[in-house]
Amino acid sequence: MSSAGAAAAAAGAAAAAERMRQEEEEMTKYADADLKDDWEFKIVRSNTASFKNPETLRRVCEEEAQAGWILLEKFDNQRLRFKRPASARAGDAALIGYDPYRSNYGISALAIVMIVLFCTLLGVAAIIGIVALFVKH
C-alpha cells in the first residue's frame, strides 16, 4: 500500500468515525427525567459488528449487567447503548476482571490495522517473490 493510499484510508476511517460520533449525538437525546434521576450512560462499540450474533449480544448484556448496566438500545451491529443508576458505582471495586466503563468489545481498531498491514506486506512480499522467480528464468 502506498503512503498516499494509506493516508486516504486513514482519512476515510477518521471521517467514518466522525460520522458515527455525530450520529450517536443525534440518536442519544436524553429526557430530563433521565438526567435528574442520576443515571450514567455509555456506548459499547465493536469494530467487527460482533453484536449481529445473538449469543454475543446476550453475553455482552450479561457482562454489563454485572456492574448494573441496562441495555437501552442496539443502534446497529457495532454499537449498544447502556444506562445504569449512578449509585451502582459503589459496587465497581468488587468487580474482578471487568471494567465497568469499557466502551469497546472485541478486537481493537489498532489490532485490525496491524492485521491489514501485515497481510498487505505479506501480499507484497509474495508478489515480489513470484516476480523474482520469473525474472531469474
Side-chain angles (χ1 to χ4, degrees):
M1 178 179 275
S2 71
S3 61
E18 181 56 32
R19 278 192 305 276
M20 285 181 85
R21 278 191 291 278
Q22 182 64 34
E23 178 184 44
E24 288 167 4
E25 289 284 326
E26 293 168 7
M27 293 172 72
T28 55
K29 302 292 183 202
Y30 300 107
D32 288 338
D34 288 332
L35 301 174
K36 285 182 198 172
D37 290 339
D38 208 17
W39 288 96
E40 294 182 304
F41 298 88
K42 75 173 184 174
I43 295 174
V44 177
R45 295 171 182 84
S46 166
N47 291 309
T48 58
S50 298
F51 308 135
K52 180 178 183 179
N53 181 321
E55 179 59 28
T56 300
L57 178 61
R58 183 194 60 74
R59 186 173 51 250
V60 170
C61 290
E62 285 178 359
E63 291 171 4
E64 296 299 330
Q66 294 176 53
W69 292 104
I70 303 161
L71 179 66
L72 281 178
E73 62 188 315
K74 177 182 174 185
F75 290 142
D76 51 36
N77 291 327
Q78 292 182 277
R79 298 171 295 169
L80 305 173
R81 183 167 67 127
F82 291 88
K83 77 174 187 177
R84 75 173 182 171
S87 61
R89 287 185 212 143
D92 287 354
L95 297 171
I96 299 184
Y98 171 75
D99 174 7
Y101 291 101
R102 76 173 174 180
S103 59
N104 290 303
Y105 179 82
I107 190 167
S108 72
L110 178 60
I112 291 172
V113 168
M114 297 303 288
I115 290 168
V116 168
L117 182 61
F118 175 77
C119 290
T120 301
L121 292 174
L122 189 61
V124 168
I127 291 170
I128 290 171
I130 290 169
V131 168
L133 281 174
F134 283 112
V135 170
K136 281 185 175 182
H137 294 99

